[in-house]
PDB file of all heavy atoms in Angstrom:
ATOM      1  N   TYR A1191      51.895  91.688 -26.077  1.00 82.00           N
ATOM      2  CA  TYR A1191      52.007  92.714 -27.120  1.00 82.00           C
ATOM      3  C   TYR A1191      51.877  94.033 -26.456  1.00 82.00           C
ATOM      4  O   TYR A1191      51.295  94.145 -25.320  1.00 82.00           O
ATOM      5  CB  TYR A1191      51.109  92.544 -28.244  1.00 82.00           C
ATOM      6  CG  TYR A1191      49.596  92.567 -27.797  1.00 82.00           C
ATOM      7  CD1 TYR A1191      48.868  93.842 -27.881  1.00 82.00           C
ATOM      8  CD2 TYR A1191      48.994  91.428 -27.311  1.00 82.00           C
ATOM      9  CE1 TYR A1191      47.593  93.826 -27.499  1.00 82.00           C
ATOM     10  CE2 TYR A1191      47.573  91.512 -26.838  1.00 82.00           C
ATOM     11  CZ  TYR A1191      47.013  92.804 -27.002  1.00 82.00           C
ATOM     12  OH  TYR A1191      45.632  92.764 -26.579  1.00 82.00           O
ATOM     13  N   PHE A1192      52.341  95.139 -27.097  1.00 86.00           N
ATOM     14  CA  PHE A1192      52.131  96.436 -26.603  1.00 86.00           C
ATOM     15  C   PHE A1192      52.304  97.427 -27.694  1.00 86.00           C
ATOM     16  O   PHE A1192      52.746  97.123 -28.831  1.00 86.00           O
ATOM     17  CB  PHE A1192      53.214  96.756 -25.496  1.00 86.00           C
ATOM     18  CG  PHE A1192      54.617  96.642 -25.865  1.00 86.00           C
ATOM     19  CD1 PHE A1192      55.381  97.706 -26.473  1.00 86.00           C
ATOM     20  CD2 PHE A1192      55.249  95.316 -25.737  1.00 86.00           C
ATOM     21  CE1 PHE A1192      56.576  97.458 -26.825  1.00 86.00           C
ATOM     22  CE2 PHE A1192      56.565  95.240 -26.108  1.00 86.00           C
ATOM     23  CZ  PHE A1192      57.243  96.296 -26.692  1.00 86.00           C
ATOM     24  N   GLY A1193      51.865  98.696 -27.605  1.00 85.00           N
ATOM     25  CA  GLY A1193      51.938  99.729 -28.434  1.00 85.00           C
ATOM     26  C   GLY A1193      50.872  99.706 -29.628  1.00 85.00           C
ATOM     27  O   GLY A1193      50.996 100.356 -30.585  1.00 85.00           O
ATOM     28  N   GLU A1194      49.756  98.831 -29.440  1.00 81.00           N
ATOM     29  CA  GLU A1194      48.801  98.734 -30.512  1.00 81.00           C
ATOM     30  C   GLU A1194      47.986 100.004 -30.768  1.00 81.00           C
ATOM     31  O   GLU A1194      47.462 100.192 -31.859  1.00 81.00           O
ATOM     32  CB  GLU A1194      47.824  97.668 -30.099  1.00 81.00           C
ATOM     33  CG  GLU A1194      46.882  97.920 -28.984  1.00 81.00           C
ATOM     34  CD  GLU A1194      47.520  97.800 -27.583  1.00 81.00           C
ATOM     35  OE1 GLU A1194      48.706  97.398 -27.564  1.00 81.00           O
ATOM     36  OE2 GLU A1194      46.900  98.037 -26.626  1.00 81.00           O
ATOM     37  N   VAL A1195      47.992 100.977 -29.783  1.00 83.00           N
ATOM     38  CA  VAL A1195      47.279 102.221 -30.045  1.00 83.00           C
ATOM     39  C   VAL A1195      47.835 102.952 -31.160  1.00 83.00           C
ATOM     40  O   VAL A1195      47.087 103.715 -31.846  1.00 83.00           O
ATOM     41  CB  VAL A1195      47.262 103.036 -28.716  1.00 83.00           C
ATOM     42  CG1 VAL A1195      46.662 104.478 -28.887  1.00 83.00           C
ATOM     43  CG2 VAL A1195      46.525 102.245 -27.578  1.00 83.00           C
ATOM     44  N   ALA A1196      49.134 102.836 -31.334  1.00 85.00           N
ATOM     45  CA  ALA A1196      49.781 103.644 -32.395  1.00 85.00           C
ATOM     46  C   ALA A1196      49.291 103.271 -33.772  1.00 85.00           C
ATOM     47  O   ALA A1196      49.439 103.987 -34.795  1.00 85.00           O
ATOM     48  CB  ALA A1196      51.332 103.429 -32.353  1.00 85.00           C
ATOM     49  N   LEU A1197      48.734 102.015 -33.930  1.00 83.00           N
ATOM     50  CA  LEU A1197      48.195 101.724 -35.268  1.00 83.00           C
ATOM     51  C   LEU A1197      46.912 102.464 -35.654  1.00 83.00           C
ATOM     52  O   LEU A1197      46.783 102.607 -36.886  1.00 83.00           O
ATOM     53  CB  LEU A1197      47.848 100.079 -35.219  1.00 83.00           C
ATOM     54  CG  LEU A1197      49.032  99.178 -34.923  1.00 83.00           C
ATOM     55  CD1 LEU A1197      48.522  97.708 -35.100  1.00 83.00           C
ATOM     56  CD2 LEU A1197      50.125  99.405 -35.917  1.00 83.00           C
ATOM     57  N   VAL A1198      46.153 102.821 -34.796  1.00 81.00           N
ATOM     58  CA  VAL A1198      44.833 103.473 -35.079  1.00 81.00           C
ATOM     59  C   VAL A1198      44.774 104.977 -34.548  1.00 81.00           C
ATOM     60  O   VAL A1198      43.834 105.615 -34.949  1.00 81.00           O
ATOM     61  CB  VAL A1198      43.699 102.675 -34.464  1.00 81.00           C
ATOM     62  CG1 VAL A1198      43.641 101.234 -35.117  1.00 81.00           C
ATOM     63  CG2 VAL A1198      43.729 102.583 -32.969  1.00 81.00           C
ATOM     64  N   MET A1199      45.685 105.438 -33.793  1.00 81.00           N
ATOM     65  CA  MET A1199      45.641 106.794 -33.300  1.00 81.00           C
ATOM     66  C   MET A1199      47.051 107.424 -33.584  1.00 81.00           C
ATOM     67  O   MET A1199      47.878 107.476 -32.706  1.00 81.00           O
ATOM     68  CB  MET A1199      45.409 106.803 -31.835  1.00 81.00           C
ATOM     69  CG  MET A1199      44.115 106.145 -31.459  1.00 81.00           C
ATOM     70  SD  MET A1199      43.801 106.052 -29.670  1.00 81.00           S
ATOM     71  CE  MET A1199      43.555 107.781 -29.310  1.00 81.00           C
ATOM     72  N   PRO A1200      47.217 107.883 -34.836  1.00 79.00           N
ATOM     73  CA  PRO A1200      48.466 108.440 -35.292  1.00 79.00           C
ATOM     74  C   PRO A1200      48.996 109.605 -34.469  1.00 79.00           C
ATOM     75  O   PRO A1200      50.190 109.964 -34.448  1.00 79.00           O
ATOM     76  CB  PRO A1200      48.310 108.752 -36.801  1.00 79.00           C
ATOM     77  CG  PRO A1200      46.829 108.869 -36.906  1.00 79.00           C
ATOM     78  CD  PRO A1200      46.202 107.961 -35.910  1.00 79.00           C
ATOM     79  N   ASN A1201      48.045 110.513 -33.988  1.00 79.00           N
ATOM     80  CA  ASN A1201      48.452 111.698 -33.313  1.00 79.00           C
ATOM     81  C   ASN A1201      48.667 111.523 -31.839  1.00 79.00           C
ATOM     82  O   ASN A1201      48.992 112.542 -31.188  1.00 79.00           O
ATOM     83  CB  ASN A1201      47.401 112.838 -33.574  1.00 79.00           C
ATOM     84  CG  ASN A1201      47.241 113.050 -35.083  1.00 79.00           C
ATOM     85  OD1 ASN A1201      48.312 113.106 -35.755  1.00 79.00           O
ATOM     86  ND2 ASN A1201      46.053 113.299 -35.512  1.00 79.00           N
ATOM     87  N   GLU A1202      48.527 110.348 -31.295  1.00 80.00           N
ATOM     88  CA  GLU A1202      48.518 110.081 -29.813  1.00 80.00           C
ATOM     89  C   GLU A1202      49.988 109.725 -29.525  1.00 80.00           C
ATOM     90  O   GLU A1202      50.707 108.985 -30.223  1.00 80.00           O
ATOM     91  CB  GLU A1202      47.635 108.985 -29.434  1.00 80.00           C
ATOM     92  CG  GLU A1202      47.445 108.853 -27.972  1.00 80.00           C
ATOM     93  CD  GLU A1202      46.663 110.043 -27.364  1.00 80.00           C
ATOM     94  OE1 GLU A1202      45.752 110.548 -28.191  1.00 80.00           O
ATOM     95  OE2 GLU A1202      46.777 110.400 -26.224  1.00 80.00           O
ATOM     96  N   LEU A1203      50.460 110.307 -28.435  1.00 83.00           N
ATOM     97  CA  LEU A1203      51.833 110.052 -27.947  1.00 83.00           C
ATOM     98  C   LEU A1203      51.833 108.726 -27.058  1.00 83.00           C
ATOM     99  O   LEU A1203      50.834 108.386 -26.488  1.00 83.00           O
ATOM    100  CB  LEU A1203      52.362 111.188 -27.031  1.00 83.00           C
ATOM    101  CG  LEU A1203      52.538 112.562 -27.766  1.00 83.00           C
ATOM    102  CD1 LEU A1203      53.069 113.585 -26.862  1.00 83.00           C
ATOM    103  CD2 LEU A1203      53.391 112.485 -29.011  1.00 83.00           C
ATOM    104  N   ARG A1204      52.909 108.181 -26.878  1.00 84.00           N
ATOM    105  CA  ARG A1204      53.139 107.000 -26.154  1.00 84.00           C
ATOM    106  C   ARG A1204      52.830 107.292 -24.638  1.00 84.00           C
ATOM    107  O   ARG A1204      53.345 108.347 -24.148  1.00 84.00           O
ATOM    108  CB  ARG A1204      54.502 106.394 -26.202  1.00 84.00           C
ATOM    109  CG  ARG A1204      54.961 105.980 -27.604  1.00 84.00           C
ATOM    110  CD  ARG A1204      54.376 104.728 -28.033  1.00 84.00           C
ATOM    111  NE  ARG A1204      54.997 104.100 -29.274  1.00 84.00           N
ATOM    112  CZ  ARG A1204      54.617 103.024 -29.895  1.00 84.00           C
ATOM    113  NH1 ARG A1204      53.535 102.408 -29.444  1.00 84.00           N
ATOM    114  NH2 ARG A1204      55.285 102.599 -30.918  1.00 84.00           N
ATOM    115  N   VAL A1205      52.041 106.466 -23.984  1.00 82.00           N
ATOM    116  CA  VAL A1205      51.727 106.796 -22.576  1.00 82.00           C
ATOM    117  C   VAL A1205      52.608 106.081 -21.638  1.00 82.00           C
ATOM    118  O   VAL A1205      52.409 106.279 -20.407  1.00 82.00           O
ATOM    119  CB  VAL A1205      50.278 106.435 -22.403  1.00 82.00           C
ATOM    120  CG1 VAL A1205      49.319 107.277 -23.215  1.00 82.00           C
ATOM    121  CG2 VAL A1205      50.056 104.927 -22.602  1.00 82.00           C
ATOM    122  N   ALA A1206      53.503 105.227 -22.078  1.00 85.00           N
ATOM    123  CA  ALA A1206      54.406 104.452 -21.204  1.00 85.00           C
ATOM    124  C   ALA A1206      55.774 104.144 -21.863  1.00 85.00           C
ATOM    125  O   ALA A1206      55.755 104.220 -23.123  1.00 85.00           O
ATOM    126  CB  ALA A1206      53.779 103.208 -20.623  1.00 85.00           C
ATOM    127  N   SER A1207      56.760 103.876 -21.060  1.00 90.00           N
ATOM    128  CA  SER A1207      57.984 103.442 -21.639  1.00 90.00           C
ATOM    129  C   SER A1207      58.099 101.929 -21.440  1.00 90.00           C
ATOM    130  O   SER A1207      57.672 101.388 -20.471  1.00 90.00           O
ATOM    131  CB  SER A1207      59.135 104.107 -20.855  1.00 90.00           C
ATOM    132  OG  SER A1207      59.172 105.512 -21.108  1.00 90.00           O
ATOM    133  N   VAL A1208      58.798 101.327 -22.430  1.00 92.00           N
ATOM    134  CA  VAL A1208      58.973  99.968 -22.381  1.00 92.00           C
ATOM    135  C   VAL A1208      60.495  99.614 -22.486  1.00 92.00           C
ATOM    136  O   VAL A1208      61.153 100.096 -23.410  1.00 92.00           O
ATOM    137  CB  VAL A1208      58.232  99.216 -23.541  1.00 92.00           C
ATOM    138  CG1 VAL A1208      58.479  97.691 -23.441  1.00 92.00           C
ATOM    139  CG2 VAL A1208      56.777  99.588 -23.484  1.00 92.00           C
ATOM    140  N   VAL A1209      61.010  98.892 -21.478  1.00 93.00           N
ATOM    141  CA  VAL A1209      62.439  98.637 -21.350  1.00 93.00           C
ATOM    142  C   VAL A1209      62.659  96.995 -21.343  1.00 93.00           C
ATOM    143  O   VAL A1209      61.863  96.323 -20.705  1.00 93.00           O
ATOM    144  CB  VAL A1209      63.037  99.314 -20.164  1.00 93.00           C
ATOM    145  CG1 VAL A1209      64.546  98.908 -20.081  1.00 93.00           C
ATOM    146  CG2 VAL A1209      62.842 100.656 -20.093  1.00 93.00           C
ATOM    147  N   ALA A1210      63.567  96.564 -22.051  1.00 93.00           N
ATOM    148  CA  ALA A1210      63.976  95.144 -22.052  1.00 93.00           C
ATOM    149  C   ALA A1210      64.575  94.704 -20.749  1.00 93.00           C
ATOM    150  O   ALA A1210      65.663  95.300 -20.416  1.00 93.00           O
ATOM    151  CB  ALA A1210      64.903  94.836 -23.231  1.00 93.00           C
ATOM    152  N   VAL A1211      63.934  93.765 -20.105  1.00 92.00           N
ATOM    153  CA  VAL A1211      64.492  93.241 -18.829  1.00 92.00           C
ATOM    154  C   VAL A1211      65.658  92.260 -19.127  1.00 92.00           C
ATOM    155  O   VAL A1211      66.636  92.148 -18.389  1.00 92.00           O
ATOM    156  CB  VAL A1211      63.420  92.545 -18.037  1.00 92.00           C
ATOM    157  CG1 VAL A1211      63.987  92.060 -16.692  1.00 92.00           C
ATOM    158  CG2 VAL A1211      62.371  93.671 -17.675  1.00 92.00           C
ATOM    159  N   GLU A1212      65.525  91.591 -20.210  1.00 92.00           N
ATOM    160  CA  GLU A1212      66.507  90.613 -20.707  1.00 92.00           C
ATOM    161  C   GLU A1212      66.542  90.675 -22.322  1.00 92.00           C
ATOM    162  O   GLU A1212      65.866  91.526 -22.800  1.00 92.00           O
ATOM    163  CB  GLU A1212      66.110  89.221 -20.248  1.00 92.00           C
ATOM    164  CG  GLU A1212      64.795  88.741 -20.751  1.00 92.00           C
ATOM    165  CD  GLU A1212      64.463  87.381 -20.160  1.00 92.00           C
ATOM    166  OE1 GLU A1212      65.294  86.708 -19.737  1.00 92.00           O
ATOM    167  OE2 GLU A1212      63.232  87.020 -20.284  1.00 92.00           O
ATOM    168  N   VAL A1213      67.426  89.909 -22.807  1.00 90.00           N
ATOM    169  CA  VAL A1213      67.536  89.956 -24.218  1.00 90.00           C
ATOM    170  C   VAL A1213      66.111  89.467 -24.865  1.00 90.00           C
ATOM    171  O   VAL A1213      65.614  88.368 -24.423  1.00 90.00           O
ATOM    172  CB  VAL A1213      68.636  88.969 -24.845  1.00 90.00           C
ATOM    173  CG1 VAL A1213      68.727  89.116 -26.351  1.00 90.00           C
ATOM    174  CG2 VAL A1213      69.967  89.469 -24.231  1.00 90.00           C
ATOM    175  N   CYS A1214      65.598  90.191 -25.803  1.00 90.00           N
ATOM    176  CA  CYS A1214      64.157  89.956 -26.230  1.00 90.00           C
ATOM    177  C   CYS A1214      64.250  89.882 -27.696  1.00 90.00           C
ATOM    178  O   CYS A1214      65.032  90.718 -28.493  1.00 90.00           O
ATOM    179  CB  CYS A1214      63.215  91.028 -25.796  1.00 90.00           C
ATOM    180  SG  CYS A1214      63.055  91.238 -23.994  1.00 90.00           S
ATOM    181  N   GLU A1215      63.422  89.041 -28.290  1.00 89.00           N
ATOM    182  CA  GLU A1215      63.160  89.077 -29.786  1.00 89.00           C
ATOM    183  C   GLU A1215      61.675  89.490 -29.905  1.00 89.00           C
ATOM    184  O   GLU A1215      60.757  88.907 -29.429  1.00 89.00           O
ATOM    185  CB  GLU A1215      63.338  87.682 -30.375  1.00 89.00           C
ATOM    186  CG  GLU A1215      63.170  87.718 -31.847  1.00 89.00           C
ATOM    187  CD  GLU A1215      63.264  86.399 -32.530  1.00 89.00           C
ATOM    188  OE1 GLU A1215      63.450  85.428 -31.810  1.00 89.00           O
ATOM    189  OE2 GLU A1215      63.265  86.363 -33.816  1.00 89.00           O
ATOM    190  N   LEU A1216      61.462  90.652 -30.668  1.00 91.00           N
ATOM    191  CA  LEU A1216      60.206  91.114 -30.864  1.00 91.00           C
ATOM    192  C   LEU A1216      59.864  91.134 -32.332  1.00 91.00           C
ATOM    193  O   LEU A1216      60.763  91.210 -33.206  1.00 91.00           O
ATOM    194  CB  LEU A1216      60.127  92.677 -30.294  1.00 91.00           C
ATOM    195  CG  LEU A1216      60.581  92.849 -28.876  1.00 91.00           C
ATOM    196  CD1 LEU A1216      60.377  94.298 -28.489  1.00 91.00           C
ATOM    197  CD2 LEU A1216      59.800  91.951 -27.904  1.00 91.00           C
ATOM    198  N   TYR A1217      58.572  91.218 -32.687  1.00 89.00           N
ATOM    199  CA  TYR A1217      58.109  91.371 -33.979  1.00 89.00           C
ATOM    200  C   TYR A1217      57.431  92.684 -34.079  1.00 89.00           C
ATOM    201  O   TYR A1217      56.482  93.039 -33.329  1.00 89.00           O
ATOM    202  CB  TYR A1217      57.166  90.267 -34.428  1.00 89.00           C
ATOM    203  CG  TYR A1217      57.972  88.969 -34.764  1.00 89.00           C
ATOM    204  CD1 TYR A1217      58.074  87.968 -33.723  1.00 89.00           C
ATOM    205  CD2 TYR A1217      58.446  88.705 -36.009  1.00 89.00           C
ATOM    206  CE1 TYR A1217      58.786  86.823 -34.026  1.00 89.00           C
ATOM    207  CE2 TYR A1217      59.130  87.571 -36.317  1.00 89.00           C
ATOM    208  CZ  TYR A1217      59.282  86.619 -35.403  1.00 89.00           C
ATOM    209  OH  TYR A1217      59.925  85.433 -35.538  1.00 89.00           O
ATOM    210  N   ARG A1218      57.788  93.502 -35.021  1.00 91.00           N
ATOM    211  CA  ARG A1218      57.337  94.869 -35.210  1.00 91.00           C
ATOM    212  C   ARG A1218      56.287  94.988 -36.421  1.00 91.00           C
ATOM    213  O   ARG A1218      56.555  94.521 -37.468  1.00 91.00           O
ATOM    214  CB  ARG A1218      58.532  95.817 -35.460  1.00 91.00           C
ATOM    215  CG  ARG A1218      58.277  97.281 -35.670  1.00 91.00           C
ATOM    216  CD  ARG A1218      59.599  98.014 -35.843  1.00 91.00           C
ATOM    217  NE  ARG A1218      59.369  99.413 -35.959  1.00 91.00           N
ATOM    218  CZ  ARG A1218      59.012 100.072 -37.027  1.00 91.00           C
ATOM    219  NH1 ARG A1218      59.037  99.456 -38.287  1.00 91.00           N
ATOM    220  NH2 ARG A1218      58.876 101.430 -37.112  1.00 91.00           N
ATOM    221  N   LEU A1219      55.209  95.636 -36.072  1.00 89.00           N
ATOM    222  CA  LEU A1219      54.156  95.868 -37.124  1.00 89.00           C
ATOM    223  C   LEU A1219      53.996  97.355 -37.332  1.00 89.00           C
ATOM    224  O   LEU A1219      53.518  98.051 -36.351  1.00 89.00           O
ATOM    225  CB  LEU A1219      52.855  95.202 -36.832  1.00 89.00           C
ATOM    226  CG  LEU A1219      51.692  95.402 -37.765  1.00 89.00           C
ATOM    227  CD1 LEU A1219      51.980  94.946 -39.181  1.00 89.00           C
ATOM    228  CD2 LEU A1219      50.417  94.787 -37.271  1.00 89.00           C
ATOM    229  N   SER A1220      54.320  97.967 -38.330  1.00 90.00           N
ATOM    230  CA  SER A1220      54.291  99.374 -38.547  1.00 90.00           C
ATOM    231  C   SER A1220      52.846  99.793 -38.899  1.00 90.00           C
ATOM    232  O   SER A1220      52.070  99.022 -39.413  1.00 90.00           O
ATOM    233  CB  SER A1220      55.257  99.890 -39.738  1.00 90.00           C
ATOM    234  OG  SER A1220      54.802  99.411 -40.981  1.00 90.00           O
ATOM    235  N   ARG A1221      52.552 101.100 -38.587  1.00 88.00           N
ATOM    236  CA  ARG A1221      51.181 101.594 -38.847  1.00 88.00           C
ATOM    237  C   ARG A1221      50.889 101.683 -40.343  1.00 88.00           C
ATOM    238  O   ARG A1221      49.793 101.361 -40.771  1.00 88.00           O
ATOM    239  CB  ARG A1221      51.071 102.982 -38.199  1.00 88.00           C
ATOM    240  CG  ARG A1221      49.692 103.608 -38.340  1.00 88.00           C
ATOM    241  CD  ARG A1221      49.521 104.867 -37.592  1.00 88.00           C
ATOM    242  NE  ARG A1221      50.391 105.893 -37.986  1.00 88.00           N
ATOM    243  CZ  ARG A1221      51.235 106.457 -37.081  1.00 88.00           C
ATOM    244  NH1 ARG A1221      51.208 106.140 -35.785  1.00 88.00           N
ATOM    245  NH2 ARG A1221      52.142 107.413 -37.349  1.00 88.00           N
ATOM    246  N   GLY A1222      51.820 102.081 -41.109  1.00 89.00           N
ATOM    247  CA  GLY A1222      51.654 102.154 -42.527  1.00 89.00           C
ATOM    248  C   GLY A1222      51.328 100.857 -43.154  1.00 89.00           C
ATOM    249  O   GLY A1222      50.339 100.770 -43.965  1.00 89.00           O
ATOM    250  N   ASP A1223      52.052  99.817 -42.818  1.00 89.00           N
ATOM    251  CA  ASP A1223      51.819  98.471 -43.437  1.00 89.00           C
ATOM    252  C   ASP A1223      50.419  98.036 -42.967  1.00 89.00           C
ATOM    253  O   ASP A1223      49.656  97.457 -43.753  1.00 89.00           O
ATOM    254  CB  ASP A1223      52.833  97.466 -42.937  1.00 89.00           C
ATOM    255  CG  ASP A1223      54.221  97.696 -43.663  1.00 89.00           C
ATOM    256  OD1 ASP A1223      54.189  98.389 -44.722  1.00 89.00           O
ATOM    257  OD2 ASP A1223      55.228  97.294 -43.117  1.00 89.00           O
ATOM    258  N   PHE A1224      50.072  98.236 -41.689  1.00 86.00           N
ATOM    259  CA  PHE A1224      48.746  97.782 -41.154  1.00 86.00           C
ATOM    260  C   PHE A1224      47.651  98.590 -41.850  1.00 86.00           C
ATOM    261  O   PHE A1224      46.617  97.921 -42.302  1.00 86.00           O
ATOM    262  CB  PHE A1224      48.790  97.921 -39.629  1.00 86.00           C
ATOM    263  CG  PHE A1224      47.440  97.575 -39.010  1.00 86.00           C
ATOM    264  CD1 PHE A1224      47.138  96.277 -38.991  1.00 86.00           C
ATOM    265  CD2 PHE A1224      46.488  98.502 -38.573  1.00 86.00           C
ATOM    266  CE1 PHE A1224      45.918  95.904 -38.435  1.00 86.00           C
ATOM    267  CE2 PHE A1224      45.397  98.207 -38.006  1.00 86.00           C
ATOM    268  CZ  PHE A1224      45.019  96.839 -37.934  1.00 86.00           C
ATOM    269  N   ALA A1225      47.785  99.852 -41.995  1.00 85.00           N
ATOM    270  CA  ALA A1225      46.699 100.589 -42.658  1.00 85.00           C
ATOM    271  C   ALA A1225      46.431 100.193 -44.023  1.00 85.00           C
ATOM    272  O   ALA A1225      45.289 100.092 -44.541  1.00 85.00           O
ATOM    273  CB  ALA A1225      47.080 102.102 -42.517  1.00 85.00           C
ATOM    274  N   ARG A1226      47.502  99.941 -44.832  1.00 87.00           N
ATOM    275  CA  ARG A1226      47.411  99.501 -46.213  1.00 87.00           C
ATOM    276  C   ARG A1226      46.681  98.182 -46.319  1.00 87.00           C
ATOM    277  O   ARG A1226      45.960  97.867 -47.271  1.00 87.00           O
ATOM    278  CB  ARG A1226      48.693  99.537 -46.924  1.00 87.00           C
ATOM    279  CG  ARG A1226      49.237 100.810 -47.289  1.00 87.00           C
ATOM    280  CD  ARG A1226      50.414 100.775 -48.227  1.00 87.00           C
ATOM    281  NE  ARG A1226      51.615 100.158 -47.488  1.00 87.00           N
ATOM    282  CZ  ARG A1226      52.455 100.950 -46.777  1.00 87.00           C
ATOM    283  NH1 ARG A1226      52.325 102.204 -46.656  1.00 87.00           N
ATOM    284  NH2 ARG A1226      53.442 100.268 -46.180  1.00 87.00           N
ATOM    285  N   THR A1227      46.964  97.305 -45.329  1.00 86.00           N
ATOM    286  CA  THR A1227      46.482  95.892 -45.332  1.00 86.00           C
ATOM    287  C   THR A1227      44.947  95.909 -44.912  1.00 86.00           C
ATOM    288  O   THR A1227      44.190  95.237 -45.544  1.00 86.00           O
ATOM    289  CB  THR A1227      47.241  94.946 -44.425  1.00 86.00           C
ATOM    290  OG1 THR A1227      48.668  95.063 -44.798  1.00 86.00           O
ATOM    291  CG2 THR A1227      46.739  93.578 -44.588  1.00 86.00           C
ATOM    292  N   ILE A1228      44.634  96.765 -43.904  1.00 83.00           N
ATOM    293  CA  ILE A1228      43.313  96.664 -43.358  1.00 83.00           C
ATOM    294  C   ILE A1228      42.299  97.726 -44.124  1.00 83.00           C
ATOM    295  O   ILE A1228      41.110  97.657 -43.977  1.00 83.00           O
ATOM    296  CB  ILE A1228      43.273  97.085 -41.938  1.00 83.00           C
ATOM    297  CG1 ILE A1228      42.117  96.554 -41.143  1.00 83.00           C
ATOM    298  CG2 ILE A1228      43.425  98.611 -41.662  1.00 83.00           C
ATOM    299  CD1 ILE A1228      42.080  95.073 -41.016  1.00 83.00           C
ATOM    300  N   HIS A1229      42.955  98.495 -45.068  1.00 79.00           N
ATOM    301  CA  HIS A1229      42.092  99.528 -45.723  1.00 79.00           C
ATOM    302  C   HIS A1229      40.910  98.939 -46.528  1.00 79.00           C
ATOM    303  O   HIS A1229      39.766  99.569 -46.501  1.00 79.00           O
ATOM    304  CB  HIS A1229      42.960 100.327 -46.728  1.00 79.00           C
ATOM    305  CG  HIS A1229      42.245 101.342 -47.456  1.00 79.00           C
ATOM    306  ND1 HIS A1229      41.784 102.484 -46.857  1.00 79.00           N
ATOM    307  CD2 HIS A1229      41.834 101.407 -48.769  1.00 79.00           C
ATOM    308  CE1 HIS A1229      41.169 103.260 -47.721  1.00 79.00           C
ATOM    309  NE2 HIS A1229      41.188 102.639 -48.964  1.00 79.00           N
ATOM    310  N   PRO A1230      40.982  97.761 -47.121  1.00 81.00           N
ATOM    311  CA  PRO A1230      39.792  97.189 -47.820  1.00 81.00           C
ATOM    312  C   PRO A1230      38.730  96.725 -46.899  1.00 81.00           C
ATOM    313  O   PRO A1230      37.661  96.355 -47.409  1.00 81.00           O
ATOM    314  CB  PRO A1230      40.389  96.075 -48.614  1.00 81.00           C
ATOM    315  CG  PRO A1230      41.824  96.369 -48.752  1.00 81.00           C
ATOM    316  CD  PRO A1230      42.211  97.044 -47.455  1.00 81.00           C
ATOM    317  N   TYR A1231      38.921  96.799 -45.628  1.00 81.00           N
ATOM    318  CA  TYR A1231      37.909  96.324 -44.668  1.00 81.00           C
ATOM    319  C   TYR A1231      37.487  97.351 -43.687  1.00 81.00           C
ATOM    320  O   TYR A1231      37.989  97.404 -42.606  1.00 81.00           O
ATOM    321  CB  TYR A1231      38.457  95.108 -43.880  1.00 81.00           C
ATOM    322  CG  TYR A1231      39.043  93.944 -44.767  1.00 81.00           C
ATOM    323  CD1 TYR A1231      40.259  93.926 -45.199  1.00 81.00           C
ATOM    324  CD2 TYR A1231      38.120  92.907 -45.186  1.00 81.00           C
ATOM    325  CE1 TYR A1231      40.780  92.944 -46.036  1.00 81.00           C
ATOM    326  CE2 TYR A1231      38.627  91.937 -45.950  1.00 81.00           C
ATOM    327  CZ  TYR A1231      39.951  91.902 -46.353  1.00 81.00           C
ATOM    328  OH  TYR A1231      40.453  90.859 -47.177  1.00 81.00           O
ATOM    329  N   PRO A1232      36.667  98.380 -44.087  1.00 81.00           N
ATOM    330  CA  PRO A1232      36.403  99.491 -43.285  1.00 81.00           C
ATOM    331  C   PRO A1232      35.741  99.176 -41.967  1.00 81.00           C
ATOM    332  O   PRO A1232      35.926  99.720 -40.897  1.00 81.00           O
ATOM    333  CB  PRO A1232      35.400 100.387 -44.079  1.00 81.00           C
ATOM    334  CG  PRO A1232      34.939  99.450 -45.151  1.00 81.00           C
ATOM    335  CD  PRO A1232      36.030  98.373 -45.356  1.00 81.00           C
ATOM    336  N   MET A1233      34.831  98.053 -41.991  1.00 80.00           N
ATOM    337  CA  MET A1233      34.160  97.629 -40.717  1.00 80.00           C
ATOM    338  C   MET A1233      35.040  97.123 -39.729  1.00 80.00           C
ATOM    339  O   MET A1233      35.018  97.389 -38.525  1.00 80.00           O
ATOM    340  CB  MET A1233      33.058  96.667 -41.128  1.00 80.00           C
ATOM    341  CG  MET A1233      31.947  97.156 -42.029  1.00 80.00           C
ATOM    342  SD  MET A1233      30.995  98.492 -41.305  1.00 80.00           S
ATOM    343  CE  MET A1233      30.199  97.580 -39.938  1.00 80.00           C
TER     344      MET A1233
END
């Protein structure tokens, strides 16, 4: 996995580029969806 910093640090820019070496299937988790889901669990 990669890009997890974007879930908790909204003002931070990407520190690296990611390029597909071959055909890839990825699963994407957006920050908004994650924040709404984790919001009831502050700890």
Side-chain angles (χ1 to χ4, degrees):
Y1191 61 94
F1192 56 90
E1194 70 282 357
V1195 176
L1197 297 184
V1198 296
M1199 303 176 65
N1201 298 322
E1202 195 70 28
L1203 299 179
R1204 300 284 194 185
V1205 297
S1207 297
V1208 182
V1209 180
V1211 177
E1212 57 183 345
V1213 182
C1214 301
E1215 182 180 12
L1216 309 181
Y1217 283 95
R1218 180 178 183 271
L1219 176 61
S1220 68
R1221 181 172 58 236
D1223 289 338
F1224 177 72
R1226 283 189 295 272
T1227 305
I1228 202 71
H1229 180 72
Y1231 306 89
M1233 297 297 293

